[in-house]
Amino acid sequence: MEGPAPAAAEPVPERRGEPATVLERCVTGIEGLDNILGGGIPRGNTVLIAGSVGTGKTTLSLEFLLRGAERGERSLFLSVTEASGKLVQNLSTFEFFRTDLVADGSLVFVDLPVVYEKLGLEREELSSDELDILLRTIRDMVRALGVKRLVLDSLTSLCYRIRTDEQIREFVLRFGEEMSAIGCTSLLVSEITPTQGRYSTRGVEEAIVDGIVLLWNARRRGDILRVLQIVKMRGSAHSHAQYVIELTPIGLLMTPHLKGNRNEEEG
Ligand SMILES: Nc1ncnc2c1ncn2[C@@H]1O[C@H](COP(=O)(O)OP(=O)(O)O)[C@@H](O)[C@H]1O
Ligand SMILES: [Mg+2]
């Protein structure tokens, strides 16, 4: 089998019930992704972008925000581990990146450690009350700025500061509910290892989110291919096929992943 082999999925608790009508889509602006999602991500969904290091999670997430900003949807990047100044610098090598969208506030970068500091959340482990404060702060920021697309890079780094699985469950559940109510479509980056056998560090996050996009590296005759698969997307029929992705200066390109190659293994 190619790609990580996650454990059998837990029954997914439905948060808002099955959609009765066709949902409005958040057009990602990444053409290949919109094609396999039937037009985009149902607006207000919370989607896990899961993959090991270097599989393209940050690049995909940033393109999603940039394409949104281009269409007049204000976008927010919440950075936990990488300083956003450095991220912007790296981004400038991509042709699709437009500094004017940052300058005019269409694409906003916020470093979460700065938020922690402002809120006085300095202890390594966040209590339930502190998590509540953090959640409200993010919600208020999204509301005040009219943010329509949000990326948290990464949820994994944030979860390192949360002690129990129950607190993670509560945080992700409430985050999803708040963002859905506002109509803000969110990508939560999840750092996993190829052998981990699941989509999130603690395993609880993946059952709550609305969607999971899985990225991994596959080796083929000495080359490394980046592969993408939609594992789940509530409110949307979607392809489960695997796609090879290329992170090019003009953006992410996708082609069907041709299987049956014996020289290929997951890496
Ligand atoms: N500014 C850039 N220009 C060209 N290629 C880049 C740039 N940034 C990242 N990449 C390529 O994308 C790959 C994936 O990077 P990234 O999206 O940061 O992965 P992840 O977030 O999953 O660790 C890198 O290994 C690199 O090959
Ligand atoms: Mg990254």
Side-chain angles (χ1 to χ4, degrees):
M1 157 153 181
E2 297 157 353
E10 279 178 53
V12 176
E14 275 301 332
R15 196 171 65 222
R16 295 180 292 275
E18 287 300 322
T21 51
V22 177
L23 298 173
E24 191 195 335
R25 304 271 164 173
C26 169
V27 179
T28 68
I30 299 170
E31 201 183 326
L33 203 54
D34 288 327
N35 285 342
I36 61 171
L37 283 170
I41 301 170
R43 194 172 289 287
N45 266 15
T46 299
V47 179
L48 213 58
I49 307 295
S52 54
V53 66
T55 49
K57 302 180 297 299
T58 300
T59 308
L60 181 154
S61 301
L62 283 166
E63 189 178 349
F64 167 73
L65 294 186
L66 221 112
R67 301 294 180 200
E70 266 176 357
R71 322 174 142 250
E73 293 185 13
R74 185 169 260 178
S75 298
L76 173 64
F77 189 91
L78 287 177
S79 186
V80 185
T81 42
E82 291 176 81
S84 49
K86 207 166 164 196
L87 272 170
V88 173
Q89 235 175 18
N90 287 340
L91 262 177
S92 57
T93 59
F94 288 105
E95 280 170 36
F96 65 77
F97 184 60
R98 285 176 42 191
T99 45
D100 59 313
L101 295 173
V102 179
D104 72 11
S106 304
L107 174 55
V108 180
F109 288 85
V110 170
D111 290 328
L112 213 57
V114 175
V115 176
Y116 291 150
E117 202 176 33
K118 277 191 189 149
L119 296 174
L121 308 180
E122 277 143 16
R123 281 178 305 154
E124 205 176 320
E125 212 167 75
L126 297 170
S127 68
S128 293
D129 284 348
E130 288 174 325
L131 280 169
D132 187 53
I133 292 169
L134 181 62
L135 187 67
R136 284 178 205 218
T137 304
I138 294 173
R139 180 200 60 194
D140 292 348
M141 192 154 49
V142 167
R143 276 199 189 141
L145 295 172
V147 170
K148 290 289 166 213
R149 301 186 185 208
L150 180 150
V151 168
L152 173 62
D153 192 356
S154 65
L155 176 64
T156 312
S157 310
L158 173 60
C159 285
Y160 285 144
R161 300 188 61 182
I162 307 181
R163 191 164 62 87
T164 71
D165 288 355
E166 195 43 48
Q167 284 173 307
I168 292 179
R169 192 189 303 273
E170 176 70 15
F171 181 83
V172 176
L173 188 67
R174 283 198 43 214
F175 176 88
E177 284 171 353
E178 296 280 8
M179 292 307 132
S180 170
I182 302 171
C184 176
T185 310
S186 308
L187 305 185
L188 306 177
V189 173
S190 177
E191 305 273 357
I192 50 173
T193 57
T195 53
Q196 202 164 337
R198 56 189 187 197
Y199 305 112
S200 51
T201 318
R202 304 275 276 270
V204 289
E205 308 93 301
E206 62 204 51
I208 297 165
V209 290
D210 299 304
I212 300 174
V213 174
L214 181 63
L215 300 169
W216 72 90
N217 290 323
R219 273 190 284 276
R220 181 184 282 175
R221 295 195 203 96
D223 285 335
I224 290 185
L225 299 178
R226 291 195 173 93
V227 187
L228 176 151
Q229 183 181 29
I230 311 287
V231 176
K232 84 168 178 183
M233 189 63 67
R234 281 189 190 136
S236 180
H238 61 85
S239 162
H240 279 90
Q242 299 175 359
Y243 293 84
V244 173
I245 59 167
E246 265 181 86
L247 308 171
T248 78
I250 56 164
L252 190 150
L253 299 179
M254 286 170 58
T255 47
H257 186 200
L258 302 173
K259 288 184 271 178
N261 187 323
R262 276 196 232 140
N263 293 322
E264 193 172 303
E265 59 188 80
E266 186 259 313

